[in-house]
Amino acid sequence: MNEELKIFIKAISNETRLDILNYLKKECCVGDIWKKLNLPQNLASHHLKVLKESGLVEAKKNGLKVVYKLNKKQLALRLRLLQVYLN
């Protein structure tokens, strides 16, 4: 198993991170996420950091806020890698 696939599996192995990925179907900031998912702000930020480092989430500065969105291209790539590994 290659390192990229290990990072992907680790990123999606947490239920909260899966909830965040689901919520990121639309762009939003960390404040939207922690309020919606009823998480402490620092925990939401930690999970976003893991998802960003895995390449599944992109972030861009918008004024004073950081806006996050799902990186659909990388998600599709990681899913194909997982499919190849499992076959």
Side-chain angles (χ1 to χ4, degrees):
M1 180 182 303
N2 70 30
E3 194 62 29
E4 191 176 335
L5 189 54
K6 287 179 188 178
I7 292 169
F8 169 69
I9 291 170
K10 180 181 177 185
I12 64 167
S13 67
N14 181 283
E15 184 178 346
T16 300
R17 288 195 283 268
L18 286 173
D19 290 341
I20 291 171
L21 288 172
N22 188 44
Y23 190 70
L24 286 175
K25 291 176 185 172
K26 62 181 189 326
E27 290 186 358
C28 57
C29 66
V30 68
D32 298 329
I33 295 168
W34 70 263
K35 289 174 188 171
K36 174 69 176 175
L37 299 178
N38 198 26
L39 296 170
Q41 186 272 333
N42 63 329
L43 185 56
S45 292
H46 168 74
H47 287 303
L48 284 165
K49 179 182 177 205
V50 171
L51 291 168
K52 188 177 171 197
E53 289 173 350
S54 74
L56 298 176
V57 168
E58 297 176 309
K60 67 179 177 183
K61 191 98 167 145
N62 187 1
L64 297 176
K65 294 182 179 182
V66 177
V67 178
Y68 295 89
K69 70 176 185 176
L70 192 59
N71 186 337
K72 294 178 183 178
K73 188 176 188 179
Q74 287 300 313
L75 178 59
L77 176 64
R78 300 303 194 286
L79 288 171
R80 282 194 301 274
L81 284 173
L82 181 59
Q83 186 175 23
V84 167
Y85 178 76
L86 294 175
N87 287 331

